[in-house]
Structures are given as structure tokens and as C-alpha cells.
Amino acid sequence: MRLALGPLLYFWPREEVMALYQQAASWPVDVIYLGEVVCSKRRTTRTDDYLEIAAMLADSGKQVVLSTLALVEAESELKTLKRLVGNGRFWVEANDMAAVNLLANADLPFVAGPHLNCYNGASIAMLQQLGAKRWVMPVELGEATLRAMIAAQPPAMESEVFVYGRLPLAFSARCFTARAANLPKDDCRYLCGDYPDGQLVSDQDDNPFLVFNGIQTQSASTLNLLEAIPVMAKMGVDVVRISPHARHLERIVEQFAAVLSGAQRPGEANERLRQTVPAGGFCNGYWHGEAGMDWRAPSAQEIDAQIP
Amino acid sequence: MSKVELVCPAGAFPALRAAVDNGADAVYIGFRDATNARNFPGLNFDRETAAKAIRYAHDHHSKVLLALNTYPQPQTWSVWCDAVDQAADLGVDALILADLGLMRYARDKWPNLRLHLSVQGSATSHEAIALYRRLFGIERVILPRVLSMPQVARVIENSDVAVEVFAFGSLCVMVEGRCYLSSYVTGESPNTCGACSPASAVEWKETANGRDVNLNGVLIDRFNQDESAGYPVICKGRFKVNGKLDYAIEEPTSLSVLDILPDLIKIGVSAIKVEGRQRSPAYVAQVTKVLREALDSAQKDPLTYRPRQEWVSQLGRVAEGTTHTLGALDREWQ
């Protein structure tokens, strides 16, 4: 099983984006997804910058995949999409059917991203026919469905699971970060840049509930499926994805990598991860077929008992 | 210019009759299970009532469209396939589908069946629509409520698929088909179960602070005595952002395109849709009647068209919340 760094979903300054990938070049991750998935107004790190980063990471031995925008509305966004599709070197992660159409027409291999709504074997087969080499499970699905889908998966198709990070839950035409400041999206002043891990939304009793990331809404709690790595390995999952965030990213990558390489028992690594609980706590309910926000914390012994 | 179709909702036979009698060109319905995005207890059609509904509609020159617009998972895949077969057997005028795999099944098994791409399919550009056209020959797409008017016009210009837009009813603020807020809190979402904020997860509580409404234990809103309390969908709740309490996502409000009907006709929209299969026959009758009159008036004489005061107040009485909006069609809303 390989480890992936998902696309950076937040709006960070260009220098910090550059710094992240400079560091990631030497991290124990196999696959790195690059590009703006959330909002086309974020242009401080430009497509050219990402292509440069991509070349640098590929030279460091990473598989680089260029991720596309999830919500495509404007002609200018289709233009960017065409540019990514025609990059001539790297795989593309399609996060919208517009990207799938362009990729299929150009007869290019692609990753069917987590926002494509792939819920069954027939959909995987369709996507494979169109050129998909890997599909990423939608975050609201869990173990039981994944098992059935991998069983139905055609040969040569890879599967990937989002295993760590705040859950991307919804997209809208409206920018909620701008709305919170009484601004319309067209005059957003790039306020989402003030929140490197998203803007916290609490209920009326001050319990953390969601975070706004511009037009995207995420969970306030952080998905943590480290405990499920042994089960996923047994099932035949090919890639697991960590979603980049501002705090302790390197340490989290190392814990996952150590488990994947067999250098560390998952129960033990999970204990370490839990020593620094992120703001909003952990969740793993979707994996167990329950409400996504739920957190069921198995003991180290229970986790390690799953090792084949 | 061809006639714009008025598409109205029905959650049961009386609502279907109300839609047909008040001038709906087409009525959309669903089966009584998780195969459609309005899977509410006591709602929707079994095979027999669906057959009766289709007979009634066809006798009165209306069409029946059947929504199978949730996403089947492998464990229950055959339920969705059976529903496709049943709908085709019953003679529905079109299927409204969202799932790529199910669309493949429907196209292969029923080559002559008319297919519409559901709003739950999240196709927001001509490039995305072109894929479904090429693969399955879809004849209509229902656009998610995320595009501005110029963007809708652009889709129509660049696509040979007929476009349907929402005209009235509860407003989804998130891109349809890509919203997991409900399953994050309750375990059930529109995609997986056809449910958004399922009633079984809703709990009302009188407390010293007011009337609380919880969704699976999450406080969605708190009302004081003189506030009217709406149904707790997460996107219409009141939350705190930077210490400020507000409708952080959207207020309880209804979509209404009454003011811009001539513009929608002008850019070439093929059909307008009323939301609300979960609403009463009285709602369906009222909204269908008003929109029938408004659409006829706007098509007959677009230049002098003005929404009549009586239409506005009649729609206002059945709307969610006390305000109405154009939603994303109006750039300022975004």
C-alpha cells in the first residue's frame, strides 16, 4: 500500500505552498496530488508554479498527479482544466465530470477523484472504460461498501481511500468565509487566506461543528483512519491519502509511513497520533457505517489484532 | 421558440392529480424507497399507484418523470436496477438518473427510454453534460442551483441537451449530489439514502435558553418564543463564526424565479421545475396554478410581463421562510 498527500485544500501564501512541497520531496510519501481544487479565484500559486513543483517532485521520485477544480462554473475554469489535461506529462485527478470528458476525449489516463460520486462497481467500470486507472472512495462511504467495491473492481484498477484530515463535506456557489464578513464572493478579499486550516463554525453552545474553507464546507473534526490500515491492507487498497494541513503534518505522515512499511505497529502509532488531538477532535464514523462525525476509538490491542 | 415545460412535484397520488389539474406539463415522482432523493416516511409511489398516476397524467396530456436519483451501493445494487425495469415497464415518459453505473444499466437494457440527468448528477458545465450525452444520449439535464444567469445561458449555448432549471421551492445551498452534511451528522445523506436531515434524527427540546432543535445530538438552532421554527436542515441552521451567531450558510428562504421568467425563456431554458415532493397537495396545486399562469403570460408577451401581486402573495403563503431569493442565479447572492 502506498501513501499519498492529497491536494492542499486551503489557501496558503505562495511561499508556504512552495515550502510545503520542498519539504514533502523528502517525506516518505509515494504520491503527491497538486493543484487548486476549491476556488478558482485563488491564484497566488499559479498553474505554472504547480507545474514547476510537479517537475521538482517527480525528480525526487514521487508520482505526481494534478488535481482539478471540484465545482466548475465559468469558461475560464474550463480553460484551466484544458491546460491541466494537456500538460503532456502527469496524470490528472478528475474531480468533476467536465474533467473526465476532456481526459476521455484526449485518451489520457486519470485518477477518478473523491468528488466524482463513484458508489458502485458499475460506476468504476464506466470510469475505467473512460481511462481511469485509480478511483478514490467518496468520503461518506465506509468499510462494508469499500470491501464490496474492491471485490467488484476490474483488474488493473487501483483504489484509494482518504484516511486523514478534515472531511470535505460540501461545495457551494456561495463563499461562506466572505459571507461571515458580510462580503459577496466577487469582493471576497481572499479572507479564506486568514485560515490555514479553515474557519471554525461552532454550534450555539460553542461546540466545534464545521469549518468553512471559502466555498467548501469541511468537518471540524479530523478523520483518522490509522486504525483501519491493517484492514485496508488485507482488503487490497492500493493508496491511502493524507489531506495536508498546517500543524504536525510531517509527524502524521511519518506515523502512517511507519505503519505502511511495517516499521511500527498500527496500535502503537495510533497511540502517538492521539497524543496531539487536533482542534475539533477525531472522527471515523463513516468507516463504521455510522454518522461521519462519530468517533469510535479502538484500543492498540484491538488494532494490532487485525494485522495479518 | 418552443414551449417551456412546467415540471411539478408529487409525493402521492392526490398531489399528482393537483399538479395535472392545475396545468403541469409533467409531474415527477419517485418509488417508495431509497432509490429517490425524497425518501420520506409515508411518501412516494408503489407500483400500483405509480401505474394509476401515469394513467391519470396521460389521460390529461401530462407526462410522468420518475426520479431514481440516489447512488446505489454494491450491497443493494439490484434494488435500483429493479426500479429502472419497473419504471420502464410502467411506461414513464423519462427516468431522472444521477449515477453513472445505473445510467449505463438503463441505457443498455432500455435503449429507447428517455433519460434525464438529475440535479444530483452535479453537472454544472457544458463539458460535463457532453459526457452524459455522448455515453447515454441524455435528452435533458437539470442544472444544480449554483450557476449565475450568464453561466446558465452559456451552458445552453454550448450544449445540445435541453436544460431544466429550478423555479420555485426550498433552496439547496450546496451543489446537489455533493453534499454530505446530512450523513456527517446522521449517517444518512441524499446520495446514499435519499434523505437530508432524516426526521428520525430530529429532536425538539424546551430548555431555559429557548426551544432547541437537535439533529442526532448536534444543536442546529435555538428559537425564542416569538420565532417560528423551521425544519432543521443543517444549511439553514444558526451557528457561530468568529463569535458571531448567524445563519452562517443560508437563511430559511425559498427560491422563486417569478421575476426573471422572461429572461429564462429568452436564454432558452426548456423546462422549469418546482421543488417539493414532500409538500402537500394544496402546495402543489397552488404553486402549479401560479406558475402555469405566470409561464403562459411570460411566453405570450415577454416584454410586458410583470409578476402579478396575487401570484407573489399566493407563493409567499406556501414558501419556506418569509423571504424569497433568486439564489445563485443572482451573482450578488453568491
Side-chain angles (χ1 to χ4, degrees), chain B residues 229-261:
Chain B
Y231 193 81
V233 284
I234 294 161
C235 59
K236 314 279 168 57
R238 274 182 288 196
F239 306 107
K240 283 185 186 171
V241 184
N242 290 341
K244 205 180 96 197
L245 179 68
D246 205 349
Y247 293 105
I249 299 174
E250 175 62 313
E251 289 127 67
T253 183
S254 275
L255 172 75
S256 176
V257 302
L258 209 53
D259 291 340
I260 57 161
L261 272 179

PDB file of all heavy atoms in Angstrom, chain B residues 229-261:
ATOM      1  N   ALA B 229     -40.283  28.265  14.075  1.00  0.00           N
ATOM      2  CA  ALA B 229     -39.184  27.308  13.951  1.00  0.00           C
ATOM      3  C   ALA B 229     -39.336  26.482  12.691  1.00  0.00           C
ATOM      4  O   ALA B 229     -40.360  25.861  12.462  1.00  0.00           O
ATOM      5  CB  ALA B 229     -39.173  26.402  15.178  1.00  0.00           C
ATOM      6  N   GLY B 230     -38.306  26.494  11.855  1.00  0.00           N
ATOM      7  CA  GLY B 230     -38.342  25.713  10.615  1.00  0.00           C
ATOM      8  C   GLY B 230     -37.732  24.329  10.801  1.00  0.00           C
ATOM      9  O   GLY B 230     -37.197  24.015  11.864  1.00  0.00           O
ATOM     10  N   TYR B 231     -37.821  23.507   9.757  1.00  0.00           N
ATOM     11  CA  TYR B 231     -37.249  22.160   9.809  1.00  0.00           C
ATOM     12  C   TYR B 231     -35.718  22.253   9.845  1.00  0.00           C
ATOM     13  O   TYR B 231     -35.122  23.053   9.124  1.00  0.00           O
ATOM     14  CB  TYR B 231     -37.707  21.356   8.587  1.00  0.00           C
ATOM     15  CG  TYR B 231     -37.408  19.884   8.728  1.00  0.00           C
ATOM     16  CD1 TYR B 231     -38.239  19.062   9.468  1.00  0.00           C
ATOM     17  CD2 TYR B 231     -36.273  19.336   8.145  1.00  0.00           C
ATOM     18  CE1 TYR B 231     -37.957  17.714   9.617  1.00  0.00           C
ATOM     19  CE2 TYR B 231     -35.977  17.979   8.289  1.00  0.00           C
ATOM     20  CZ  TYR B 231     -36.825  17.177   9.030  1.00  0.00           C
ATOM     21  OH  TYR B 231     -36.536  15.850   9.187  1.00  0.00           O
ATOM     22  N   PRO B 232     -35.092  21.457  10.723  1.00  0.00           N
ATOM     23  CA  PRO B 232     -33.640  21.638  10.926  1.00  0.00           C
ATOM     24  C   PRO B 232     -32.735  21.019   9.860  1.00  0.00           C
ATOM     25  O   PRO B 232     -32.033  20.048  10.129  1.00  0.00           O
ATOM     26  CB  PRO B 232     -33.414  20.964  12.277  1.00  0.00           C
ATOM     27  CG  PRO B 232     -34.452  19.893  12.329  1.00  0.00           C
ATOM     28  CD  PRO B 232     -35.652  20.435  11.613  1.00  0.00           C
ATOM     29  N   VAL B 233     -32.729  21.584   8.648  1.00  0.00           N
ATOM     30  CA  VAL B 233     -31.666  21.193   7.719  1.00  0.00           C
ATOM     31  C   VAL B 233     -30.422  21.984   8.131  1.00  0.00           C
ATOM     32  O   VAL B 233     -30.516  23.138   8.540  1.00  0.00           O
ATOM     33  CB  VAL B 233     -32.018  21.453   6.233  1.00  0.00           C
ATOM     34  CG1 VAL B 233     -32.980  20.408   5.718  1.00  0.00           C
ATOM     35  CG2 VAL B 233     -32.583  22.837   6.032  1.00  0.00           C
ATOM     36  N   ILE B 234     -29.265  21.326   8.007  1.00  0.00           N
ATOM     37  CA  ILE B 234     -28.037  21.915   8.555  1.00  0.00           C
ATOM     38  C   ILE B 234     -27.719  23.262   7.901  1.00  0.00           C
ATOM     39  O   ILE B 234     -27.332  24.216   8.584  1.00  0.00           O
ATOM     40  CB  ILE B 234     -26.867  20.918   8.384  1.00  0.00           C
ATOM     41  CG1 ILE B 234     -27.137  19.693   9.265  1.00  0.00           C
ATOM     42  CG2 ILE B 234     -25.531  21.561   8.763  1.00  0.00           C
ATOM     43  CD1 ILE B 234     -26.345  18.468   8.885  1.00  0.00           C
ATOM     44  N   CYS B 235     -27.944  23.352   6.591  1.00  0.00           N
ATOM     45  CA  CYS B 235     -27.549  24.584   5.890  1.00  0.00           C
ATOM     46  C   CYS B 235     -28.436  25.780   6.240  1.00  0.00           C
ATOM     47  O   CYS B 235     -28.122  26.897   5.856  1.00  0.00           O
ATOM     48  CB  CYS B 235     -27.499  24.345   4.385  1.00  0.00           C
ATOM     49  SG  CYS B 235     -29.057  23.798   3.689  1.00  0.00           S
ATOM     50  N   LYS B 236     -29.542  25.563   6.947  1.00  0.00           N
ATOM     51  CA  LYS B 236     -30.394  26.681   7.348  1.00  0.00           C
ATOM     52  C   LYS B 236     -30.362  26.893   8.865  1.00  0.00           C
ATOM     53  O   LYS B 236     -31.234  27.547   9.435  1.00  0.00           O
ATOM     54  CB  LYS B 236     -31.846  26.458   6.888  1.00  0.00           C
ATOM     55  CG  LYS B 236     -32.002  25.991   5.444  1.00  0.00           C
ATOM     56  CD  LYS B 236     -31.922  27.122   4.446  1.00  0.00           C
ATOM     57  CE  LYS B 236     -31.795  26.640   3.003  1.00  0.00           C
ATOM     58  NZ  LYS B 236     -32.847  25.764   2.525  1.00  0.00           N
ATOM     59  N   GLY B 237     -29.368  26.316   9.533  1.00  0.00           N
ATOM     60  CA  GLY B 237     -29.248  26.477  10.984  1.00  0.00           C
ATOM     61  C   GLY B 237     -28.495  27.745  11.353  1.00  0.00           C
ATOM     62  O   GLY B 237     -27.911  28.411  10.497  1.00  0.00           O
ATOM     63  N   ARG B 238     -28.526  28.072  12.651  1.00  0.00           N
ATOM     64  CA  ARG B 238     -27.765  29.240  13.118  1.00  0.00           C
ATOM     65  C   ARG B 238     -26.546  28.773  13.909  1.00  0.00           C
ATOM     66  O   ARG B 238     -26.668  28.019  14.879  1.00  0.00           O
ATOM     67  CB  ARG B 238     -28.648  30.138  13.978  1.00  0.00           C
ATOM     68  CG  ARG B 238     -29.427  31.125  13.124  1.00  0.00           C
ATOM     69  CD  ARG B 238     -30.265  32.060  13.945  1.00  0.00           C
ATOM     70  NE  ARG B 238     -31.404  31.371  14.531  1.00  0.00           N
ATOM     71  CZ  ARG B 238     -32.457  32.003  15.042  1.00  0.00           C
ATOM     72  NH1 ARG B 238     -32.494  33.322  15.074  1.00  0.00           N
ATOM     73  NH2 ARG B 238     -33.466  31.320  15.549  1.00  0.00           N
ATOM     74  N   PHE B 239     -25.399  29.246  13.471  1.00  0.00           N
ATOM     75  CA  PHE B 239     -24.132  28.832  14.072  1.00  0.00           C
ATOM     76  C   PHE B 239     -23.264  30.043  14.367  1.00  0.00           C
ATOM     77  O   PHE B 239     -23.548  31.146  13.899  1.00  0.00           O
ATOM     78  CB  PHE B 239     -23.394  27.868  13.128  1.00  0.00           C
ATOM     79  CG  PHE B 239     -24.225  26.690  12.706  1.00  0.00           C
ATOM     80  CD1 PHE B 239     -24.722  26.604  11.408  1.00  0.00           C
ATOM     81  CD2 PHE B 239     -24.550  25.693  13.607  1.00  0.00           C
ATOM     82  CE1 PHE B 239     -25.511  25.531  11.019  1.00  0.00           C
ATOM     83  CE2 PHE B 239     -25.341  24.617  13.229  1.00  0.00           C
ATOM     84  CZ  PHE B 239     -25.827  24.532  11.930  1.00  0.00           C
ATOM     85  N   LYS B 240     -22.191  29.786  15.121  1.00  0.00           N
ATOM     86  CA  LYS B 240     -21.270  30.871  15.454  1.00  0.00           C
ATOM     87  C   LYS B 240     -20.015  30.803  14.584  1.00  0.00           C
ATOM     88  O   LYS B 240     -19.380  29.751  14.492  1.00  0.00           O
ATOM     89  CB  LYS B 240     -20.831  30.749  16.918  1.00  0.00           C
ATOM     90  CG  LYS B 240     -21.878  31.220  17.909  1.00  0.00           C
ATOM     91  CD  LYS B 240     -21.284  31.174  19.308  1.00  0.00           C
ATOM     92  CE  LYS B 240     -22.344  31.497  20.347  1.00  0.00           C
ATOM     93  NZ  LYS B 240     -21.832  31.243  21.713  1.00  0.00           N
ATOM     94  N   VAL B 241     -19.702  31.936  13.976  1.00  0.00           N
ATOM     95  CA  VAL B 241     -18.444  32.075  13.238  1.00  0.00           C
ATOM     96  C   VAL B 241     -17.762  33.330  13.760  1.00  0.00           C
ATOM     97  O   VAL B 241     -18.385  34.392  13.798  1.00  0.00           O
ATOM     98  CB  VAL B 241     -18.684  32.215  11.723  1.00  0.00           C
ATOM     99  CG1 VAL B 241     -17.353  32.252  10.973  1.00  0.00           C
ATOM    100  CG2 VAL B 241     -19.549  31.073  11.196  1.00  0.00           C
ATOM    101  N   ASN B 242     -16.526  33.213  14.175  1.00  0.00           N
ATOM    102  CA  ASN B 242     -15.811  34.345  14.798  1.00  0.00           C
ATOM    103  C   ASN B 242     -16.635  34.989  15.914  1.00  0.00           C
ATOM    104  O   ASN B 242     -16.709  36.209  16.035  1.00  0.00           O
ATOM    105  CB  ASN B 242     -15.466  35.415  13.746  1.00  0.00           C
ATOM    106  CG  ASN B 242     -14.379  34.929  12.796  1.00  0.00           C
ATOM    107  OD1 ASN B 242     -13.658  33.970  13.120  1.00  0.00           O
ATOM    108  ND2 ASN B 242     -14.259  35.552  11.649  1.00  0.00           N
ATOM    109  N   GLY B 243     -17.289  34.165  16.710  1.00  0.00           N
ATOM    110  CA  GLY B 243     -18.041  34.662  17.857  1.00  0.00           C
ATOM    111  C   GLY B 243     -19.402  35.252  17.520  1.00  0.00           C
ATOM    112  O   GLY B 243     -20.162  35.619  18.416  1.00  0.00           O
ATOM    113  N   LYS B 244     -19.718  35.331  16.228  1.00  0.00           N
ATOM    114  CA  LYS B 244     -20.989  35.953  15.829  1.00  0.00           C
ATOM    115  C   LYS B 244     -22.004  34.877  15.443  1.00  0.00           C
ATOM    116  O   LYS B 244     -21.722  34.005  14.619  1.00  0.00           O
ATOM    117  CB  LYS B 244     -20.733  36.887  14.641  1.00  0.00           C
ATOM    118  CG  LYS B 244     -21.746  37.998  14.516  1.00  0.00           C
ATOM    119  CD  LYS B 244     -21.431  38.892  13.314  1.00  0.00           C
ATOM    120  CE  LYS B 244     -22.238  38.457  12.112  1.00  0.00           C
ATOM    121  NZ  LYS B 244     -21.782  38.953  10.827  1.00  0.00           N
ATOM    122  N   LEU B 245     -23.193  34.965  16.064  1.00  0.00           N
ATOM    123  CA  LEU B 245     -24.242  33.976  15.784  1.00  0.00           C
ATOM    124  C   LEU B 245     -25.071  34.436  14.591  1.00  0.00           C
ATOM    125  O   LEU B 245     -25.570  35.562  14.566  1.00  0.00           O
ATOM    126  CB  LEU B 245     -25.140  33.833  17.014  1.00  0.00           C
ATOM    127  CG  LEU B 245     -26.295  32.848  16.873  1.00  0.00           C
ATOM    128  CD1 LEU B 245     -25.784  31.420  16.772  1.00  0.00           C
ATOM    129  CD2 LEU B 245     -27.259  32.995  18.045  1.00  0.00           C
ATOM    130  N   ASP B 246     -25.233  33.544  13.602  1.00  0.00           N
ATOM    131  CA  ASP B 246     -25.993  33.934  12.413  1.00  0.00           C
ATOM    132  C   ASP B 246     -26.379  32.691  11.596  1.00  0.00           C
ATOM    133  O   ASP B 246     -25.920  31.590  11.887  1.00  0.00           O
ATOM    134  CB  ASP B 246     -25.129  34.864  11.536  1.00  0.00           C
ATOM    135  CG  ASP B 246     -25.986  35.779  10.654  1.00  0.00           C
ATOM    136  OD1 ASP B 246     -27.211  35.548  10.566  1.00  0.00           O
ATOM    137  OD2 ASP B 246     -25.423  36.717  10.071  1.00  0.00           O
ATOM    138  N   TYR B 247     -27.220  32.932  10.588  1.00  0.00           N
ATOM    139  CA  TYR B 247     -27.425  31.892   9.582  1.00  0.00           C
ATOM    140  C   TYR B 247     -26.150  31.880   8.742  1.00  0.00           C
ATOM    141  O   TYR B 247     -26.044  32.603   7.747  1.00  0.00           O
ATOM    142  CB  TYR B 247     -28.643  32.218   8.718  1.00  0.00           C
ATOM    143  CG  TYR B 247     -29.949  32.165   9.475  1.00  0.00           C
ATOM    144  CD1 TYR B 247     -30.620  33.320   9.840  1.00  0.00           C
ATOM    145  CD2 TYR B 247     -30.506  30.931   9.822  1.00  0.00           C
ATOM    146  CE1 TYR B 247     -31.825  33.263  10.525  1.00  0.00           C
ATOM    147  CE2 TYR B 247     -31.704  30.865  10.512  1.00  0.00           C
ATOM    148  CZ  TYR B 247     -32.361  32.032  10.863  1.00  0.00           C
ATOM    149  OH  TYR B 247     -33.545  31.973  11.540  1.00  0.00           O
ATOM    150  N   ALA B 248     -25.186  31.083   9.160  1.00  0.00           N
ATOM    151  CA  ALA B 248     -23.847  31.165   8.573  1.00  0.00           C
ATOM    152  C   ALA B 248     -23.844  30.704   7.115  1.00  0.00           C
ATOM    153  O   ALA B 248     -23.010  31.140   6.326  1.00  0.00           O
ATOM    154  CB  ALA B 248     -22.877  30.316   9.394  1.00  0.00           C
ATOM    155  N   ILE B 249     -24.768  29.810   6.755  1.00  0.00           N
ATOM    156  CA  ILE B 249     -24.780  29.259   5.398  1.00  0.00           C
ATOM    157  C   ILE B 249     -25.899  29.912   4.574  1.00  0.00           C
ATOM    158  O   ILE B 249     -25.655  30.500   3.539  1.00  0.00           O
ATOM    159  CB  ILE B 249     -24.894  27.722   5.435  1.00  0.00           C
ATOM    160  CG1 ILE B 249     -23.686  27.136   6.183  1.00  0.00           C
ATOM    161  CG2 ILE B 249     -25.009  27.146   4.030  1.00  0.00           C
ATOM    162  CD1 ILE B 249     -23.728  25.647   6.438  1.00  0.00           C
ATOM    163  N   GLU B 250     -27.136  29.819   5.083  1.00  0.00           N
ATOM    164  CA  GLU B 250     -28.254  30.471   4.406  1.00  0.00           C
ATOM    165  C   GLU B 250     -29.436  30.589   5.357  1.00  0.00           C
ATOM    166  O   GLU B 250     -29.616  29.741   6.231  1.00  0.00           O
ATOM    167  CB  GLU B 250     -28.638  29.681   3.142  1.00  0.00           C
ATOM    168  CG  GLU B 250     -29.875  30.168   2.382  1.00  0.00           C
ATOM    169  CD  GLU B 250     -29.779  31.583   1.827  1.00  0.00           C
ATOM    170  OE1 GLU B 250     -29.361  32.507   2.561  1.00  0.00           O
ATOM    171  OE2 GLU B 250     -30.149  31.774   0.650  1.00  0.00           O
ATOM    172  N   GLU B 251     -30.231  31.654   5.150  1.00  0.00           N
ATOM    173  CA  GLU B 251     -31.451  31.817   5.938  1.00  0.00           C
ATOM    174  C   GLU B 251     -32.521  30.861   5.431  1.00  0.00           C
ATOM    175  O   GLU B 251     -32.449  30.412   4.303  1.00  0.00           O
ATOM    176  CB  GLU B 251     -31.982  33.243   5.756  1.00  0.00           C
ATOM    177  CG  GLU B 251     -31.162  34.304   6.412  1.00  0.00           C
ATOM    178  CD  GLU B 251     -30.764  35.403   5.447  1.00  0.00           C
ATOM    179  OE1 GLU B 251     -31.660  36.132   5.000  1.00  0.00           O
ATOM    180  OE2 GLU B 251     -29.562  35.493   5.149  1.00  0.00           O
ATOM    181  N   PRO B 252     -33.532  30.611   6.258  1.00  0.00           N
ATOM    182  CA  PRO B 252     -34.673  29.851   5.732  1.00  0.00           C
ATOM    183  C   PRO B 252     -35.350  30.713   4.673  1.00  0.00           C
ATOM    184  O   PRO B 252     -35.903  31.757   4.980  1.00  0.00           O
ATOM    185  CB  PRO B 252     -35.590  29.680   6.948  1.00  0.00           C
ATOM    186  CG  PRO B 252     -34.749  30.004   8.132  1.00  0.00           C
ATOM    187  CD  PRO B 252     -33.707  30.969   7.672  1.00  0.00           C
ATOM    188  N   THR B 253     -35.243  30.311   3.442  1.00  0.00           N
ATOM    189  CA  THR B 253     -35.772  31.122   2.346  1.00  0.00           C
ATOM    190  C   THR B 253     -36.148  30.203   1.196  1.00  0.00           C
ATOM    191  O   THR B 253     -35.702  29.072   1.131  1.00  0.00           O
ATOM    192  CB  THR B 253     -34.712  32.150   1.895  1.00  0.00           C
ATOM    193  OG1 THR B 253     -35.259  32.968   0.880  1.00  0.00           O
ATOM    194  CG2 THR B 253     -33.458  31.481   1.379  1.00  0.00           C
ATOM    195  N   SER B 254     -36.988  30.698   0.303  1.00  0.00           N
ATOM    196  CA  SER B 254     -37.383  29.919  -0.871  1.00  0.00           C
ATOM    197  C   SER B 254     -36.799  30.519  -2.132  1.00  0.00           C
ATOM    198  O   SER B 254     -36.646  31.731  -2.238  1.00  0.00           O
ATOM    199  CB  SER B 254     -38.907  29.922  -1.022  1.00  0.00           C
ATOM    200  OG  SER B 254     -39.469  28.931  -0.239  1.00  0.00           O
ATOM    201  N   LEU B 255     -36.526  29.622  -3.071  1.00  0.00           N
ATOM    202  CA  LEU B 255     -36.150  30.080  -4.399  1.00  0.00           C
ATOM    203  C   LEU B 255     -37.427  30.487  -5.134  1.00  0.00           C
ATOM    204  O   LEU B 255     -38.440  29.803  -5.040  1.00  0.00           O
ATOM    205  CB  LEU B 255     -35.461  28.930  -5.152  1.00  0.00           C
ATOM    206  CG  LEU B 255     -35.154  29.157  -6.630  1.00  0.00           C
ATOM    207  CD1 LEU B 255     -33.965  30.088  -6.786  1.00  0.00           C
ATOM    208  CD2 LEU B 255     -34.860  27.836  -7.329  1.00  0.00           C
ATOM    209  N   SER B 256     -37.404  31.592  -5.846  1.00  0.00           N
ATOM    210  CA  SER B 256     -38.509  31.932  -6.743  1.00  0.00           C
ATOM    211  C   SER B 256     -37.983  32.720  -7.928  1.00  0.00           C
ATOM    212  O   SER B 256     -37.335  33.751  -7.758  1.00  0.00           O
ATOM    213  CB  SER B 256     -39.570  32.753  -6.021  1.00  0.00           C
ATOM    214  OG  SER B 256     -40.568  33.131  -6.962  1.00  0.00           O
ATOM    215  N   VAL B 257     -38.257  32.215  -9.142  1.00  0.00           N
ATOM    216  CA  VAL B 257     -37.763  32.894 -10.349  1.00  0.00           C
ATOM    217  C   VAL B 257     -38.859  33.699 -11.038  1.00  0.00           C
ATOM    218  O   VAL B 257     -38.697  34.105 -12.182  1.00  0.00           O
ATOM    219  CB  VAL B 257     -37.158  31.886 -11.366  1.00  0.00           C
ATOM    220  CG1 VAL B 257     -36.021  31.104 -10.736  1.00  0.00           C
ATOM    221  CG2 VAL B 257     -38.219  30.947 -11.913  1.00  0.00           C
ATOM    222  N   LEU B 258     -39.950  33.936 -10.314  1.00  0.00           N
ATOM    223  CA  LEU B 258     -41.084  34.655 -10.879  1.00  0.00           C
ATOM    224  C   LEU B 258     -40.654  35.946 -11.593  1.00  0.00           C
ATOM    225  O   LEU B 258     -41.124  36.260 -12.678  1.00  0.00           O
ATOM    226  CB  LEU B 258     -42.066  34.992  -9.745  1.00  0.00           C
ATOM    227  CG  LEU B 258     -43.548  35.102 -10.089  1.00  0.00           C
ATOM    228  CD1 LEU B 258     -44.047  33.868 -10.806  1.00  0.00           C
ATOM    229  CD2 LEU B 258     -44.358  35.330  -8.817  1.00  0.00           C
ATOM    230  N   ASP B 259     -39.741  36.676 -10.968  1.00  0.00           N
ATOM    231  CA  ASP B 259     -39.311  37.975 -11.509  1.00  0.00           C
ATOM    232  C   ASP B 259     -38.537  37.858 -12.822  1.00  0.00           C
ATOM    233  O   ASP B 259     -38.458  38.811 -13.576  1.00  0.00           O
ATOM    234  CB  ASP B 259     -38.408  38.702 -10.493  1.00  0.00           C
ATOM    235  CG  ASP B 259     -39.192  39.154  -9.271  1.00  0.00           C
ATOM    236  OD1 ASP B 259     -40.442  39.254  -9.374  1.00  0.00           O
ATOM    237  OD2 ASP B 259     -38.570  39.394  -8.222  1.00  0.00           O
ATOM    238  N   ILE B 260     -37.897  36.717 -13.050  1.00  0.00           N
ATOM    239  CA  ILE B 260     -36.998  36.633 -14.216  1.00  0.00           C
ATOM    240  C   ILE B 260     -37.450  35.584 -15.247  1.00  0.00           C
ATOM    241  O   ILE B 260     -36.660  35.154 -16.087  1.00  0.00           O
ATOM    242  CB  ILE B 260     -35.544  36.321 -13.779  1.00  0.00           C
ATOM    243  CG1 ILE B 260     -35.480  35.013 -12.975  1.00  0.00           C
ATOM    244  CG2 ILE B 260     -34.952  37.466 -12.953  1.00  0.00           C
ATOM    245  CD1 ILE B 260     -34.088  34.422 -12.908  1.00  0.00           C
ATOM    246  N   LEU B 261     -38.737  35.203 -15.183  1.00  0.00           N
ATOM    247  CA  LEU B 261     -39.220  34.188 -16.142  1.00  0.00           C
ATOM    248  C   LEU B 261     -38.933  34.554 -17.604  1.00  0.00           C
ATOM    249  O   LEU B 261     -38.445  33.701 -18.357  1.00  0.00           O
ATOM    250  CB  LEU B 261     -40.723  33.958 -15.946  1.00  0.00           C
ATOM    251  CG  LEU B 261     -41.115  32.888 -14.917  1.00  0.00           C
ATOM    252  CD1 LEU B 261     -42.641  32.791 -14.819  1.00  0.00           C
ATOM    253  CD2 LEU B 261     -40.534  31.530 -15.293  1.00  0.00           C
TER     254      LEU B 261
END
